[in-house]
Amino acid sequence: MIKNNSFNTLRILIQKYKGFDISQYKDSYIERRVNTRMNLAHKNDLISYIELLRNNPEELNKLMDALTVNVTEFFRNTETFAALETDIIPRILQNKETDSRNVIKVWSAGSSSGEETYSLAILFLEALRKSGKKYGLMVYGTDIDRKSIIQAKSGIYESNKVSRIRKDLLDRYFEEHGNEYRIKPFVKEHVKFSYLDLTSYFVQNFTTYELILCRNVIIYFTLDVKRSLFMKFYQMLRKDGYLVIGKNEAVTGKAVDYLENVNLSERIYKKKYKPAVD
Ligand SMILES: C[S@@+](CC[C@H](N)C(=O)[O-])C[C@H]1O[C@@H](n2cnc3c(N)ncnc32)[C@H](O)[C@@H]1O
């Protein structure tokens, strides 16, 4: 199916109505997702499926849901968050002592419904509370899926979503309302969610970050997109900043010379002060 005329028609249709460029994703990934939707919609060929998409906005929404896998959880990969809590965040706070900028900036790129972003905010707020340090904190979450952003902004989660969060953190950072848990307003003040397509954004007068997490997002992207994204992350990290990617992912391309792996199993990289190659 992929890269023929019908694929191109599909690409243009999705770009036009959803602003989502499927050519930036791996062929195999798009093919699997589209095939699943075609089967569920009882369409045997791509041409008739495209016809359905043209006449049925609901199917277009379902296809978009299938293309943006939103699976996430609070403190997903607990060992990664343990490494952040015990090693990386203390180092970030330490570095702040010689940094003239008073606000710690953190970015969850591909934040889905917000669990990763709030987990980061909670760990930083804990570290600031325990150390007595008075730095400002902003944790940004961005995603291409607008429904996820709305969910993330609400900060409301069903009780089964928070069942694995430590009791002390749950009590301090969430309010219980019946079967729901709500992120407390003082945490939300440090968190901001917005729409961003990682495949097409440009680094301009950019904000820089102490820590960027981009986990379980780039696996779907083509190699070219991954390579250019890693260089953008490098540019957007502050001196001694850290990048964390998914457990099954690896930095590739030119960025390999600019980002030093400091924790192999948790896929944590540090911005190199002086790249080996320029
Ligand atoms: C599997 S979730 C990962 C969520 C979180 N980072 C985690 O590891 O738990 C992948 C997220 O990436 C988002 N995504 C996919 N393509 C994207 C793009 N081009 N730009 C920004 N976000 C994207 C999806 O909408 C989805 O919310």
Side-chain angles (χ1 to χ4, degrees), residues 217-231:
V217 183
I218 58 158
I219 27 167
Y220 311 123
F221 297 163
T222 62
L223 198 55
D224 281 352
V225 172
K226 281 186 201 175
R227 286 178 174 153
S228 103
L229 196 53
F230 285 131
M231 282 312 289

Side-chain angles (χ1 to χ4, degrees), residues 140-158:
Y140 299 89
T142 62
D143 204 280
I144 197 173
D145 181 24
R146 295 183 194 275
K147 271 203 292 192
S148 293
I149 296 169
I150 292 170
Q151 160 64 42
K153 280 184 177 170
S154 79
I156 301 174
Y157 299 92
E158 286 175 14

